[in-house]
């Protein structure tokens, strides 16, 4: 019997038998991100990683995992030499992956002691909010998701920083965190109705991602509000649907393809040290949902 078959029969990971050069990478996505709403962001990241691997003759496999699943068994089936984790993962899952001994890079997540590539989310939140302030908006609301996610927390911090620099008091009544349980659309509609019932009503809304911003814009329009005359709206991520919306959605652009390519580059980086982090700069795409001008 070949040695690889013997090792596999004894429960060894064949990926660990190949020392040195990385020839197989597993792109891991948490099951909570494997949704229609999240796909427009993570699919281009996957494509970027795939293109970087193809140029180097590296095989890339895609694995969806979650805390209630036999994660290590799922990963072992692909026999990877290295791991690329995209988006939020529970620290316990990351620790279990780290214990396999394989090179590991986090994409769009930061944990002490791990290599990572992160968009500058705080800058993005700052740019979005400063844009609204520059347009003369003074009651700026923020719709946010779970602040346990590194990216969402940083966007919130950028939002608060822009208000502080403009000497505008942050109003807790205008900051709504969507529940992580229940129907997403029902939660979002309830949050928006609560915001729109405030007196005076918010004149701008910054959403933590484009999916929430697009849903918020549809809800506001259905309520008879004019966007951006009554309420200006800015999203985050600049997914393809943002520019195609009516009106086109202002958003913070992340080069998602580059994010995936940078992750592969960092996996192959021979420098020592686990805390290496690379930052991806962002830019504002100002469109009609905030400016009122067709672009």
């Amino acid at each position: 019997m070949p040695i690889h078959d013997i090792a596999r029969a004894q429960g060894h990971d064949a990926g660990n038998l190949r020392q040195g050069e990385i020839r197989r990478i597993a792109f891991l996505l948490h099951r909570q991100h494997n949704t229609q709403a999240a796909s427009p962001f993570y699919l281009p990241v996957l494509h970027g990683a795939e293109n970087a691997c193809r140029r180097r003759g590296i095989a890339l496999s895609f694995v969806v995992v979650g805390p209630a699943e036999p994660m290590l068994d799922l990963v072992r089936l692909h026999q990877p030499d290295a791991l690329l984790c995209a988006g939020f993962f529970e620290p316990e899952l990351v620790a279990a992956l780290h214990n396999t001994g394989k090179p590991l890079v986090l994409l769009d997540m930061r944990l002490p002691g791990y290599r990572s590539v992160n968009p500058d989310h705080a800058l993005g939140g700052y740019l979005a909010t400063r844009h609204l302030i520059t347009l003369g908006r003074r009651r700026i609301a923020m719709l946010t998701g779970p602040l346990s996610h590194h990216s969402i927390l940083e966007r919130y911090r950028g939002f608060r920083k822009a208000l502080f620099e403009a000497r505008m008091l942050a109003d807790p009544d205008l900051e709504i965190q969507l529940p992580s349980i229940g129907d997403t659309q029902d939660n979002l509609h309830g949050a928006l109705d609560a915001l729109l019932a405030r007196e005076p009503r918010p004149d701008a809304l910054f959403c933590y991602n484009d999916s929430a911003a697009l849903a918020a814009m549809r809800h506001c329009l259905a309520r008879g509000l004019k966007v951006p005359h009554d309420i200006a709206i800015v999203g985050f991520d600049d997914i393809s649907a943002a520019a195609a919306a009516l009106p086109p959605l202002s958003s913070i652009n992340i080069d998602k393809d580059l994010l995936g390519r940078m992750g592969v580059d960092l996996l192959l980086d021979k420098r020592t040290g686990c805390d290496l982090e690379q930052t991806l700069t962002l830019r504002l795409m100002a469109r009609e949902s905030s400016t009122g001008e067709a672009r």
Side-chain angles (χ1 to χ4, degrees), residues 106-133:
L106 306 177
L107 289 180
D108 201 24
M109 183 181 178
R110 178 188 293 133
L111 282 175
Y114 293 92
R115 293 187 172 199
S116 62
V117 182
N118 283 286
D120 193 340
H121 295 290
L123 173 63
Y126 175 82
L127 292 175
T129 310
R130 190 180 67 178
H131 169 66
L132 292 168
I133 293 170

Side-chain angles (χ1 to χ4, degrees), residues 15-246:
N16 287 332
L17 300 177
R18 293 185 296 271
Q19 298 297 322
E21 191 174 8
I22 292 175
R23 305 306 301 165
R24 297 172 181 264
I25 294 175
F27 184 102
L28 306 182
L29 185 67
H30 197 289
R31 187 160 296 283
Q32 69 171 293
H33 298 313
N34 190 35
T35 64
Q36 185 175 359
S39 293
F41 180 85
Y42 288 106
L43 189 57
V45 178
L46 174 61
H47 285 168
E50 183 181 35
N51 290 334
C53 287
R54 186 182 298 113
R55 288 197 303 270
R56 294 173 170 84
I58 297 173
L60 183 73
S61 56
F62 175 60
V63 189
V64 177
V65 298
E69 300 166 347
M71 178 189 64
L72 295 181
D73 289 340
L74 290 172
V75 172
R76 192 175 294 116
L77 286 174
H78 296 266
Q79 302 181 6
D81 303 311
L83 306 170
L84 203 55
C85 297
F88 173 79
F89 277 77
E90 290 85 359
E92 296 80 7
L93 288 186
V94 178
L97 292 168
H98 174 72
N99 288 338
T100 64
K102 300 178 186 298
L104 172 67
V105 164
L106 306 177
L107 289 180
D108 201 24
M109 183 181 178
R110 178 188 293 133
L111 282 175
Y114 293 92
R115 293 187 172 199
S116 62
V117 182
N118 283 286
D120 193 340
H121 295 290
L123 173 63
Y126 175 82
L127 292 175
T129 310
R130 190 180 67 178
H131 169 66
L132 292 168
I133 293 170
T134 302
L135 292 171
R137 307 291 172 156
R138 288 298 177 265
R139 285 184 56 78
I140 303 173
M142 181 173 182
L143 194 63
T144 183
L147 296 180
S148 58
H149 291 211
H150 162 74
S151 59
I152 298 175
L153 178 60
E154 289 297 298
R155 294 172 191 190
Y156 173 71
R157 287 174 171 166
F159 165 77
R160 278 294 192 96
K161 178 182 178 182
L163 294 179
F164 177 80
E165 287 190 0
R167 299 185 178 181
M168 295 171 60
L169 291 176
D171 184 348
D173 288 339
L174 297 182
E175 299 172 0
I176 295 189
Q177 181 176 342
L178 294 177
S180 56
I181 59 174
D183 182 81
T184 302
Q185 289 300 312
D186 288 345
N187 291 339
L188 188 142
H189 291 167
L192 286 170
D193 286 338
L195 281 173
L196 298 178
R198 307 246 179 239
E199 291 292 344
R201 188 175 61 208
D203 59 5
L205 176 63
F206 169 44
C207 296
Y208 73 105
N209 66 23
D210 284 347
S211 295
L214 291 167
M217 187 161 66
R218 289 192 296 268
H219 191 70
C220 289
L221 292 170
R223 290 288 186 271
L225 298 179
K226 296 178 181 178
V227 178
H229 181 269
D230 295 319
I231 185 165
I233 299 178
V234 178
F236 207 112
D237 293 337
D238 198 27
I239 62 176
S240 58
L246 292 175

